[in-house]
Amino acid sequence: MTQDMSWLRRGVVEVFPQPVDVNSETLEKRLLTTNQPLRIKLGIDPTGTDIHLGHSIPVRKLRAFQDAGHIAVLIIGDFTARIGDPTGKSEVRRQLTQADVAQNAQTYLDQVRPILDFDTPGRLEVRYNSEWLSQLNLEKILELLSTMTVGQMLAKEGFADRYKKENPIFIHEFLYPLMQGFDSVAVKADVELGGTDQKFNIAVGRDLQRHFGQKPQFGMLLPILIGTDGVQKMSKSLGNYIALSEHPGQKYQKLQGIPDNLLEQYFELLTDLPLDRLPENPRDRQTLLASEVVKHYHGETAAQEAKEAAQSGGKEGAVPEFSLAEILQFPVKLAYLLNVTGLCKSTGEGKRKIQEGGVRLDGDRISDADTTFAATADLQGKVLQVGKNKFVRLVL
């Protein structure tokens, strides 16, 4: 295994457990002394259709472990997603259907392909946790429940806040950390990656591995990315996100506007560039950041085109525009809109593309073929997309 550990420490907030003395095993020691690849776990619950740059951070670290010779175990939480991680939530999540989860899972895999090594034999396992969680009988569930107390569960930040505010906490939500932890048992994880908000869940995995006679995993916590507003964490609900599925021109424009004080963090977490060789001028840094990230997801040509469009003053990376004034009557069906904008050859083709999950509006997937828009205000300024390469901006 590689002796250079700089890749391991980059962008990491915490690795636990911390050594208690000089003889304690650390993750670095295990990496340097192991005679076989370690199993590095990352779980993703497909509760939505899109991944943004904040979500990409642990996936990038998973790739770094792959490049160092270890096995990435990407767990698609198709079972746990039907409950939803209660971490950071002030109320119970809506439970998803199996069909919702299956569709979301496929889009997640498509979006992480530019990051992970899917091709080298033995370097990636994609597992679905329904494989083992759906097989748990009541006896095994009772065994899992017996490993934790209600007091321990209420120590979890989200639960504690909800309990104090007298917001309902449902019993099935207590199962979530235990099921995520059991994932570590099922795949025999040596390391689990997660955001700083996942420490409780990862620690539960360590406890369950110990309970079932396995060597406990190390936990590696990665930062939560601040969004484009420079204030709050990147989130679709806050509108301060950059989706992996966005048009390269949109992505370039947003990255060029990242506040100066966040540039080094973005470089550290979203690129592999040496931090001691970055340009001094903030504007040059923004340009370099935008080019590097767009190149990674869309290729050199797309990055260069986005850069040239931005330099020439093209709006949002020169996405072709369609005037909504050409639509003489509202409400208008999405399938018809796909036809008149030229993204589809007919309304029928538009319906098929929607049903296949190939249509997005401002990065949000639309799968209902009967979707209708009441007025131009519902569409103005948004980017309509079919597949990976067809885009049009809707303008007045």
Side-chain angles (χ1 to χ4, degrees):
M1 298 301 168
T2 179
Q3 300 293 311
D4 179 9
M5 289 287 129
S6 59
W7 63 270
L8 181 69
R9 294 181 291 269
R10 181 168 177 142
V12 174
V13 174
E14 181 184 355
V15 176
F16 67 94
Q18 295 291 327
V20 295
D21 55 47
V22 294
N23 297 317
S24 299
E25 184 184 35
T26 64
L27 178 55
E28 290 193 6
K29 284 182 182 178
R30 188 182 292 188
L31 287 166
L32 291 171
T33 58
T34 184
N35 58 6
Q36 61 184 9
L38 298 187
R39 297 175 60 76
I40 317 301
K41 169 195 170 187
L42 174 63
I44 301 177
D45 278 354
T47 52
T49 57
D50 295 299
I51 298 175
H52 57 61
L53 288 179
H55 298 135
S56 76
I57 294 169
V59 184
R60 284 179 49 80
K61 184 60 71 175
L62 192 61
R63 174 57 187 264
F65 274 101
Q66 283 185 301
D67 291 342
H70 301 284
I71 301 169
V73 184
L74 181 65
I75 296 179
I76 304 297
D78 61 329
F79 195 94
T80 44
R82 294 167 68 183
I83 295 178
D85 188 353
T87 300
K89 299 300 175 186
S90 60
E91 55 187 30
V92 65
R93 282 179 178 265
R94 179 181 71 87
Q95 293 189 49
L96 301 177
T97 67
Q98 191 170 353
D100 290 335
V101 171
Q103 182 174 335
N104 294 345
Q106 187 54 56
T107 67
Y108 274 35
L109 286 174
D110 291 343
Q111 290 171 78
V112 300
R113 280 186 178 277
I115 306 175
L116 293 177
D117 180 357
F118 277 75
D119 301 319
T120 305
R123 283 289 172 260
L124 176 65
E125 293 180 17
V126 177
R127 306 285 294 275
Y128 292 78
N129 65 13
S130 60
E131 174 189 337
W132 49 86
L133 293 179
S134 65
Q135 302 304 311
L136 294 179
N137 57 26
L138 184 56
E139 181 179 2
K140 183 63 71 172
I141 292 171
L142 288 173
E143 182 181 358
L144 290 178
L145 290 171
S146 71
T147 63
M148 292 192 73
T149 67
V150 172
Q152 286 174 309
M153 280 291 184
L154 290 178
K156 181 176 169 63
E157 182 181 353
F159 288 150
D161 292 342
R162 285 163 63 181
Y163 188 72
K164 289 176 184 176
K165 294 175 182 177
E166 298 185 358
N167 289 342
I169 301 172
F170 292 87
I171 298 299
H172 76 276
E173 295 182 275
F174 278 177
L175 275 170
Y176 185 91
L178 290 165
M179 290 194 297
Q180 181 175 318
F182 191 73
D183 290 348
S184 295
V185 176
V187 302
K188 297 179 171 63
D190 293 298
V191 181
E192 181 171 0
L193 309 179
T196 51
D197 59 348
Q198 290 296 309
K199 186 171 184 176
F200 182 94
N201 293 341
I202 295 173
V204 171
R206 283 177 49 80
D207 292 341
L208 288 178
Q209 285 179 310
R210 193 179 293 111
H211 174 81
F212 286 100
Q214 294 183 13
K215 192 171 186 177
Q217 65 189 5
F218 282 95
M220 177 175 282
L221 303 181
L222 302 155
I224 306 297
L225 191 67
I226 300 299
T228 55
D229 60 354
V231 179
Q232 301 188 76
K233 72 175 185 178
M234 186 171 284
S235 168
K236 288 198 71 176
S237 61
L238 297 173
N240 63 350
Y241 69 99
I242 303 174
L244 300 194
S245 60
E246 282 187 37
H247 184 277
Q250 285 183 296
K251 197 172 287 167
Y252 191 98
Q253 288 282 335
K254 288 183 178 181
L255 286 163
Q256 270 207 319
I258 297 300
D260 296 351
N261 65 310
L262 294 181
L263 287 173
E264 187 161 328
Q265 184 194 44
Y266 270 61
F267 273 110
E268 181 179 21
L269 300 175
L270 304 177
T271 80
D272 295 320
L273 296 176
L275 301 181
D276 58 356
R277 300 180 192 173
L278 301 178
E280 291 293 331
N281 185 285
R283 186 59 180 167
D284 292 338
R285 287 192 177 199
Q286 290 171 321
T287 299
L288 177 60
L289 174 67
S291 295
E292 282 295 312
V293 174
V294 172
K295 180 173 67 176
H296 179 70
Y297 290 101
H298 304 282
E300 184 76 49
T301 300
Q304 186 60 35
E305 289 176 352
K307 181 177 180 179
E308 291 172 357
Q311 290 175 338
S312 65
K315 292 185 178 180
E316 301 292 345
V319 178
E321 294 183 347
F322 174 83
S323 175
L324 293 169
E326 295 186 31
I327 299 176
L328 301 179
Q329 185 174 355
F330 275 85
V332 63
K333 285 188 174 292
L334 175 58
Y336 173 77
L337 188 61
L338 292 170
N339 180 24
V340 296
T341 57
L343 294 175
C344 291
K345 294 178 182 179
S346 66
T347 300
E349 182 188 356
K351 286 183 178 180
R352 287 194 300 275
K353 292 294 184 182
I354 296 168
Q355 291 167 342
E356 292 167 1
V359 177
R360 297 173 185 268
L361 185 66
D362 258 12
D364 292 325
R365 188 181 302 276
I366 300 178
S367 54
D368 182 358
D370 292 323
T371 297
T372 301
F373 301 98
T376 57
D378 298 331
L379 298 167
Q380 185 180 353
K382 295 183 178 180
V383 173
L384 187 60
Q385 172 185 347
V386 176
K388 294 183 178 179
N389 301 310
K390 292 183 177 180
F391 298 85
V392 67
R393 181 175 298 283
L394 305 171
V395 298
L396 285 179

